[in-house]
Amino acid sequence: ILQKERKNKKSHYKKTKMARGPKKHLKRVNAPKRWMLDKLSGVYAPRPSTGPHKLRECLPLAVLLRNKLKYALNGTEILSIVKDKEGLIHVDGKIRRDPRYPTGFQDVVSIPKTGENFRMLYD
């Protein structure tokens, strides 16, 4: 009889869930300082995709196009530039359609439509 009563009792302990997989978001405050993002213009920053450069040593294409080169004002404009059929953005000679693609040291970002080439260097 005692065993049956124990099985029917519900435990009052909270079950904690563990994180599943890698982190997918990045807050602006936690973004690398060399990206020079201001704190008050939003909550999130574009987290770089996994690729050839580390998170702390790269600059996503979205930050490069919006904040450094001033080609776009917001995220939807960046998407329309990067996802274009013609392949407007080339990194090291290959078309990149991921706005979060990590560009790193000595990468060449070229825009054939304007004829501009940029090499990523440390400041």
Side-chain angles (χ1 to χ4, degrees), residues 27-91:
K27 298 243 178 155
R28 291 178 87 83
V29 177
N30 295 333
K33 301 300 176 218
R34 75 177 73 87
W35 292 4
M36 292 182 279
L37 299 175
D38 52 344
K39 289 188 279 186
L40 301 178
S41 64
V43 177
Y44 295 103
R47 183 181 183 88
S49 306
T50 56
H53 302 284
K54 295 179 182 176
L55 172 74
R56 297 284 165 194
E57 298 172 0
C58 72
L59 188 71
L61 275 178
V63 174
L64 180 72
L65 292 175
R66 181 177 58 206
N67 296 11
K68 305 293 181 212
L69 301 179
K70 307 288 189 212
Y71 277 127
L73 295 175
N74 53 31
T76 54
E77 290 180 9
I78 291 170
L79 281 176
S80 64
I81 291 170
V82 174
K83 300 274 186 181
D84 192 48
K85 267 193 217 174
E86 299 171 12
L88 299 177
I89 307 295
H90 295 247
V91 178

Coordinates of all heavy atoms in Angstrom, one line a residue, residues 27-91:
K27 N 23.2 40.0 -28.4 CA 22.8 41.3 -28.0 C 23.8 42.3 -28.4 O 25.0 42.0 -28.4 CB 22.5 41.4 -26.5 CG 21.5 40.4 -26.0 CD 20.3 41.1 -25.4 CE 19.2 40.1 -25.0 NZ 18.4 40.6 -24.0
R28 N 23.4 43.6 -28.6 CA 24.3 44.6 -29.1 C 25.4 44.9 -28.0 O 26.5 45.2 -28.4 CB 23.5 45.9 -29.4 CG 22.7 45.8 -30.6 CD 21.9 47.1 -30.8 NE 22.7 48.0 -31.6 CZ 22.8 48.0 -32.9 NH1 22.1 47.1 -33.6 NH2 23.4 48.9 -33.5
V29 N 25.0 44.8 -26.8 CA 25.9 45.2 -25.7 C 27.0 44.1 -25.6 O 28.2 44.5 -25.3 CB 25.2 45.2 -24.4 CG1 26.1 45.5 -23.2 CG2 24.1 46.3 -24.4
N30 N 26.8 42.9 -26.0 CA 27.8 41.8 -25.9 C 28.5 41.7 -27.3 O 29.4 40.8 -27.3 CB 27.1 40.5 -25.6 CG 26.5 40.5 -24.2 OD1 27.0 41.2 -23.3 ND2 25.5 39.7 -24.0
A31 N 28.2 42.4 -28.3 CA 28.9 42.4 -29.5 C 30.3 42.9 -29.4 O 30.6 43.7 -28.5 CB 28.2 43.2 -30.6
P32 N 31.3 42.5 -30.2 CA 32.6 43.0 -30.1 C 32.7 44.5 -30.2 O 32.0 45.1 -31.0 CB 33.4 42.3 -31.2 CG 32.6 41.1 -31.5 CD 31.2 41.4 -31.2
K33 N 33.5 45.1 -29.4 CA 33.6 46.6 -29.4 C 34.1 47.1 -30.7 O 33.8 48.3 -31.1 CB 34.5 47.0 -28.2 CG 34.0 46.6 -26.9 CD 32.6 47.1 -26.6 CE 32.2 46.5 -25.2 NZ 30.8 46.2 -25.2
R34 N 34.9 46.4 -31.5 CA 35.5 46.9 -32.7 C 34.4 47.0 -33.8 O 34.7 47.6 -34.8 CB 36.7 46.1 -33.2 CG 36.3 44.8 -33.8 CD 37.6 44.1 -34.2 NE 38.4 43.6 -33.1 CZ 38.2 42.4 -32.6 NH1 37.3 41.6 -33.0 NH2 39.0 42.0 -31.6
W35 N 33.2 46.4 -33.6 CA 32.1 46.7 -34.5 C 31.6 48.1 -34.4 O 30.9 48.6 -35.3 CB 31.0 45.7 -34.3 CG 31.3 44.3 -34.6 CD1 32.5 43.7 -35.0 CD2 30.4 43.2 -34.6 NE1 32.4 42.4 -35.2 CE2 31.2 42.0 -35.0 CE3 29.1 43.0 -34.3 CZ2 30.6 40.7 -35.0 CZ3 28.5 41.8 -34.3 CH2 29.3 40.7 -34.7
M36 N 31.8 48.7 -33.3 CA 31.4 50.1 -33.0 C 29.9 50.3 -33.2 O 29.4 51.2 -33.9 CB 32.2 51.1 -33.8 CG 33.6 51.1 -33.4 SD 34.6 52.3 -34.3 CE 35.0 51.4 -35.8
L37 N 29.1 49.4 -32.6 CA 27.6 49.5 -32.6 C 27.2 50.4 -31.4 O 27.7 50.2 -30.3 CB 27.0 48.1 -32.5 CG 27.3 47.2 -33.7 CD1 26.6 45.8 -33.4 CD2 26.8 47.7 -35.0
D38 N 26.3 51.3 -31.6 CA 25.8 52.0 -30.5 C 24.8 51.2 -29.7 O 24.1 50.3 -30.2 CB 25.2 53.4 -30.9 CG 24.1 53.2 -32.0 OD1 24.1 52.1 -32.6 OD2 23.3 54.1 -32.3
K39 N 24.6 51.6 -28.4 CA 23.8 50.7 -27.5 C 22.3 51.0 -27.7 O 21.5 50.1 -27.5 CB 24.1 51.1 -26.1 CG 25.5 50.6 -25.7 CD 25.7 50.7 -24.2 CE 26.1 52.2 -23.9 NZ 26.4 52.3 -22.4
L40 N 21.9 52.2 -28.2 CA 20.5 52.6 -28.1 C 19.7 52.4 -29.4 O 18.5 52.7 -29.4 CB 20.4 54.0 -27.7 CG 21.1 54.3 -26.3 CD1 21.0 55.8 -26.0 CD2 20.4 53.5 -25.2
S41 N 20.4 51.9 -30.5 CA 19.6 51.8 -31.7 C 18.9 50.5 -31.9 O 18.4 50.3 -33.0 CB 20.6 52.1 -32.9 OG 21.5 51.1 -33.0
G42 N 18.9 49.6 -30.9 CA 18.3 48.4 -31.0 C 18.7 47.4 -29.9 O 19.5 47.8 -29.1
V43 N 18.1 46.3 -29.9 CA 18.5 45.3 -28.8 C 19.5 44.3 -29.4 O 20.4 43.9 -28.7 CB 17.2 44.6 -28.3 CG1 17.6 43.5 -27.3 CG2 16.2 45.6 -27.8
Y44 N 19.3 43.8 -30.6 CA 20.1 42.7 -31.1 C 21.1 43.2 -32.2 O 20.9 44.2 -32.9 CB 19.2 41.6 -31.7 CG 18.4 40.9 -30.6 CD1 17.1 41.2 -30.5 CD2 19.0 40.0 -29.8 CE1 16.3 40.6 -29.5 CE2 18.2 39.4 -28.8 CZ 16.9 39.7 -28.7 OH 16.2 39.1 -27.7
A45 N 22.2 42.4 -32.3 CA 23.1 42.6 -33.4 C 23.2 41.4 -34.2 O 22.8 40.3 -33.8 CB 24.5 42.9 -32.8
P46 N 23.5 41.5 -35.5 CA 23.6 40.3 -36.3 C 24.7 39.3 -35.9 O 25.9 39.7 -35.9 CB 23.8 40.8 -37.8 CG 24.4 42.2 -37.6 CD 23.9 42.7 -36.3
R47 N 24.3 38.2 -35.4 CA 25.3 37.2 -35.0 C 25.9 36.5 -36.2 O 25.2 36.0 -37.1 CB 24.7 36.1 -34.1 CG 25.7 35.1 -33.6 CD 25.0 34.1 -32.7 NE 25.9 33.2 -32.2 CZ 26.6 33.4 -31.0 NH1 26.3 34.4 -30.3 NH2 27.4 32.5 -30.5
P48 N 27.3 36.5 -36.4 CA 27.9 35.9 -37.6 C 27.6 34.4 -37.7 O 27.5 33.7 -36.7 CB 29.3 36.1 -37.4 CG 29.5 37.1 -36.3 CD 28.2 37.1 -35.5
S49 N 27.4 33.9 -38.9 CA 27.2 32.5 -39.1 C 28.5 31.8 -38.9 O 29.6 32.4 -38.8 CB 26.8 32.3 -40.6 OG 25.7 33.0 -41.0
T50 N 28.5 30.5 -38.7 CA 29.7 29.7 -38.6 C 30.4 29.8 -40.0 O 29.8 29.7 -41.0 CB 29.4 28.3 -38.2 OG1 28.5 27.7 -39.1 CG2 28.8 28.2 -36.8
G51 N 31.7 29.9 -39.9 CA 32.4 30.0 -41.2 C 33.9 30.1 -40.9 O 34.4 29.6 -39.9
P52 N 34.6 30.7 -41.8 CA 36.1 30.6 -41.8 C 36.7 31.5 -40.7 O 37.9 31.3 -40.4 CB 36.5 31.1 -43.2 CG 35.4 31.9 -43.6 CD 34.2 31.3 -43.0
H53 N 36.0 32.4 -40.1 CA 36.5 33.3 -39.0 C 35.8 33.1 -37.7 O 34.6 32.9 -37.7 CB 36.5 34.7 -39.5 CG 37.3 34.9 -40.8 ND1 38.7 34.9 -40.8 CD2 36.8 35.1 -42.1 CE1 39.0 35.1 -42.1 NE2 38.0 35.2 -42.9
K54 N 36.5 33.4 -36.6 CA 35.8 33.3 -35.3 C 34.9 34.4 -35.1 O 35.0 35.5 -35.7 CB 36.9 33.2 -34.2 CG 37.8 32.0 -34.3 CD 38.8 32.1 -33.2 CE 39.8 30.9 -33.3 NZ 40.8 31.0 -32.3
L55 N 34.0 34.3 -34.1 CA 33.0 35.3 -33.8 C 33.7 36.6 -33.4 O 33.2 37.7 -33.8 CB 32.1 34.8 -32.6 CG 31.1 35.8 -32.0 CD1 30.0 36.0 -33.0 CD2 30.6 35.3 -30.7
R56 N 34.7 36.5 -32.6 CA 35.3 37.7 -32.1 C 36.3 38.4 -33.0 O 36.8 39.5 -32.8 CB 36.0 37.5 -30.7 CG 35.1 37.0 -29.6 CD 34.3 38.2 -29.1 NE 33.2 37.8 -28.3 CZ 32.2 38.6 -28.0 NH1 32.2 39.9 -28.3 NH2 31.2 38.2 -27.3
E57 N 36.6 37.7 -34.1 CA 37.6 38.2 -35.1 C 37.1 38.5 -36.4 O 37.8 38.6 -37.4 CB 38.7 37.1 -35.2 CG 39.5 36.8 -34.0 CD 40.5 35.7 -34.1 OE1 40.5 35.1 -35.2 OE2 41.1 35.3 -33.1
C58 N 35.7 38.6 -36.5 CA 35.1 38.8 -37.8 C 34.1 40.0 -37.8 O 33.8 40.5 -36.7 CB 34.4 37.5 -38.3 SG 32.9 37.2 -37.4
L59 N 33.6 40.3 -38.9 CA 32.6 41.4 -39.1 C 31.6 40.8 -40.0 O 31.9 40.5 -41.2 CB 33.3 42.6 -39.7 CG 32.4 43.9 -39.7 CD1 32.2 44.4 -38.3 CD2 33.1 44.9 -40.6
P60 N 30.3 40.7 -39.6 CA 29.3 40.2 -40.5 C 29.0 41.1 -41.7 O 29.2 42.3 -41.6 CB 28.0 40.1 -39.7 CG 28.5 40.2 -38.3 CD 29.8 40.9 -38.3
L61 N 28.6 40.6 -42.8 CA 28.4 41.4 -44.0 C 27.3 42.5 -43.7 O 27.4 43.6 -44.2 CB 27.9 40.5 -45.2 CG 28.9 39.9 -46.0 CD1 28.3 39.0 -47.1 CD2 29.8 40.9 -46.7
A62 N 26.3 42.1 -42.9 CA 25.3 43.1 -42.5 C 25.8 44.3 -41.8 O 25.5 45.5 -42.2 CB 24.2 42.4 -41.6
V63 N 26.7 44.1 -40.9 CA 27.4 45.3 -40.2 C 28.2 46.1 -41.2 O 28.3 47.3 -41.1 CB 28.2 44.8 -39.0 CG1 28.9 45.9 -38.3 CG2 27.3 44.2 -38.0
L64 N 29.0 45.3 -42.0 CA 29.8 46.0 -43.0 C 29.0 46.9 -43.9 O 29.4 48.1 -44.2 CB 30.6 45.0 -43.8 CG 31.6 45.5 -44.8 CD1 32.8 46.1 -44.2 CD2 32.0 44.3 -45.7
L65 N 27.9 46.4 -44.5 CA 27.2 47.1 -45.5 C 26.4 48.3 -44.9 O 26.2 49.3 -45.5 CB 26.2 46.2 -46.2 CG 26.8 45.1 -47.1 CD1 25.8 44.2 -47.7 CD2 27.6 45.8 -48.2
R66 N 25.9 48.0 -43.6 CA 25.0 49.1 -43.0 C 25.8 50.1 -42.3 O 25.6 51.3 -42.5 CB 24.0 48.4 -42.1 CG 23.1 49.4 -41.4 CD 22.1 48.7 -40.5 NE 22.7 47.9 -39.5 CZ 22.2 46.9 -38.9 NH1 21.0 46.4 -39.3 NH2 22.9 46.2 -38.0
N67 N 26.7 49.7 -41.4 CA 27.4 50.7 -40.5 C 28.7 51.2 -41.1 O 29.0 52.4 -40.8 CB 27.7 50.0 -39.2 CG 26.4 49.6 -38.4 OD1 25.3 49.6 -39.0 ND2 26.5 49.2 -37.2
K68 N 29.4 50.4 -41.8 CA 30.7 50.9 -42.3 C 30.6 51.6 -43.7 O 31.1 52.7 -43.9 CB 31.7 49.8 -42.4 CG 31.9 49.0 -41.1 CD 32.5 49.9 -40.1 CE 32.7 49.1 -38.8 NZ 32.6 49.9 -37.6
L69 N 30.0 50.9 -44.7 CA 29.9 51.4 -46.0 C 28.7 52.2 -46.3 O 28.6 52.9 -47.4 CB 30.0 50.2 -47.0 CG 31.2 49.3 -46.9 CD1 31.1 48.1 -47.9 CD2 32.4 50.1 -47.1
K70 N 27.7 52.2 -45.4 CA 26.5 53.0 -45.6 C 25.7 52.7 -46.9 O 25.1 53.6 -47.5 CB 26.8 54.5 -45.5 CG 27.6 54.9 -44.3 CD 26.8 54.9 -43.1 CE 27.7 55.6 -42.0 NZ 27.4 55.0 -40.7
Y71 N 25.7 51.4 -47.3 CA 24.9 51.1 -48.4 C 23.4 50.8 -48.1 O 22.6 50.8 -49.0 CB 25.4 49.8 -49.1 CG 26.6 50.1 -50.0 CD1 27.8 49.4 -49.9 CD2 26.5 51.0 -51.1 CE1 28.9 49.6 -50.7 CE2 27.5 51.2 -51.9 CZ 28.7 50.5 -51.7 OH 29.8 50.8 -52.6
A72 N 23.1 50.6 -46.8 CA 21.7 50.3 -46.4 C 21.4 51.0 -45.1 O 22.4 51.3 -44.4 CB 21.5 48.8 -46.3
L73 N 20.2 51.2 -44.9 CA 19.7 51.9 -43.6 C 19.2 50.9 -42.6 O 19.2 51.1 -41.4 CB 18.7 52.9 -43.9 CG 19.1 54.1 -44.8 CD1 17.9 55.0 -45.1 CD2 20.2 54.9 -44.0
N74 N 18.7 49.7 -43.1 CA 18.1 48.8 -42.1 C 18.3 47.3 -42.7 O 18.9 47.1 -43.7 CB 16.6 49.0 -41.9 CG 15.8 49.2 -43.2 OD1 16.2 48.5 -44.1 ND2 14.8 50.0 -43.2
G75 N 17.8 46.4 -41.9 CA 18.0 45.0 -42.2 C 17.4 44.5 -43.5 O 17.9 43.7 -44.2
T76 N 16.2 45.1 -43.8 CA 15.5 44.6 -45.0 C 16.2 45.1 -46.3 O 16.2 44.4 -47.3 CB 14.0 45.1 -45.0 OG1 14.0 46.6 -44.8 CG2 13.2 44.5 -43.9
E77 N 16.8 46.2 -46.2 CA 17.6 46.7 -47.4 C 18.8 45.8 -47.6 O 19.2 45.5 -48.7 CB 18.0 48.2 -47.2 CG 16.8 49.1 -47.3 CD 17.3 50.6 -47.1 OE1 18.5 50.9 -47.0 OE2 16.4 51.4 -47.0
I78 N 19.4 45.4 -46.5 CA 20.6 44.5 -46.5 C 20.2 43.2 -47.2 O 20.9 42.7 -48.1 CB 21.2 44.3 -45.1 CG1 21.8 45.6 -44.6 CG2 22.2 43.2 -45.2 CD1 22.2 45.5 -43.2
L79 N 19.1 42.7 -46.8 CA 18.6 41.4 -47.4 C 18.4 41.6 -48.9 O 18.7 40.7 -49.7 CB 17.3 41.0 -46.7 CG 17.4 40.3 -45.4 CD1 16.0 40.0 -44.8 CD2 18.2 39.0 -45.5
S80 N 17.8 42.7 -49.3 CA 17.5 42.9 -50.7 C 18.8 43.0 -51.5 O 18.9 42.6 -52.7 CB 16.6 44.1 -51.0 OG 17.3 45.3 -50.5
I81 N 19.9 43.6 -50.9 CA 21.2 43.7 -51.6 C 21.8 42.4 -51.7 O 22.3 42.0 -52.7 CB 22.1 44.7 -50.8 CG1 21.5 46.1 -51.0 CG2 23.5 44.7 -51.3 CD1 22.2 47.1 -50.1
V82 N 21.9 41.6 -50.6 CA 22.7 40.4 -50.5 C 22.0 39.3 -51.2 O 22.6 38.5 -51.9 CB 22.9 40.0 -49.0 CG1 23.6 38.7 -48.9 CG2 23.8 41.1 -48.4
K83 N 20.7 39.2 -51.1 CA 19.9 38.1 -51.7 C 19.6 38.3 -53.2 O 18.9 37.5 -53.8 CB 18.6 37.8 -50.9 CG 18.8 37.5 -49.5 CD 19.0 36.0 -49.3 CE 19.1 35.7 -47.8 NZ 19.3 34.3 -47.6
D84 N 20.1 39.3 -53.8 CA 19.8 39.7 -55.2 C 20.2 38.5 -56.1 O 21.2 37.9 -55.9 CB 20.4 41.0 -55.6 CG 19.9 41.5 -56.9 OD1 18.7 41.5 -57.1 OD2 20.7 41.8 -57.8
K85 N 19.5 38.3 -57.2 CA 19.8 37.2 -58.2 C 21.1 37.4 -58.8 O 21.8 36.4 -59.1 CB 18.7 37.2 -59.3 CG 17.6 36.3 -59.0 CD 16.8 36.2 -60.3 CE 15.3 36.1 -60.1 NZ 14.6 36.2 -61.3
E86 N 21.5 38.6 -59.1 CA 22.8 38.9 -59.8 C 24.0 38.6 -59.0 O 25.1 38.5 -59.5 CB 22.8 40.3 -60.3 CG 21.7 40.7 -61.2 CD 21.6 42.2 -61.5 OE1 22.5 42.9 -61.1 OE2 20.6 42.6 -62.1
G87 N 23.8 38.5 -57.6 CA 25.0 38.2 -56.8 C 25.8 39.5 -56.7 O 26.9 39.6 -57.2
L88 N 25.3 40.5 -56.0 CA 26.0 41.8 -55.9 C 27.2 41.8 -55.0 O 28.1 42.6 -55.2 CB 25.0 42.8 -55.4 CG 23.8 43.0 -56.3 CD1 22.8 44.0 -55.7 CD2 24.2 43.5 -57.7
I89 N 27.3 40.9 -54.1 CA 28.4 41.0 -53.1 C 29.3 39.7 -53.3 O 28.8 38.6 -53.3 CB 27.9 41.0 -51.6 CG1 26.9 42.1 -51.4 CG2 29.0 41.1 -50.6 CD1 27.4 43.5 -51.6
H90 N 30.6 40.0 -53.5 CA 31.5 38.9 -53.6 C 32.5 39.0 -52.4 O 33.0 40.1 -52.2 CB 32.3 39.0 -54.9 CG 31.5 38.8 -56.1 ND1 31.6 37.7 -57.0 CD2 30.5 39.6 -56.7 CE1 30.8 37.8 -58.0 NE2 30.1 38.9 -57.8
V91 N 32.8 37.9 -51.8 CA 33.8 37.8 -50.8 C 34.9 36.8 -51.3 O 34.6 35.6 -51.5 CB 33.3 37.4 -49.4 CG1 34.4 37.3 -48.4 CG2 32.2 38.3 -48.9

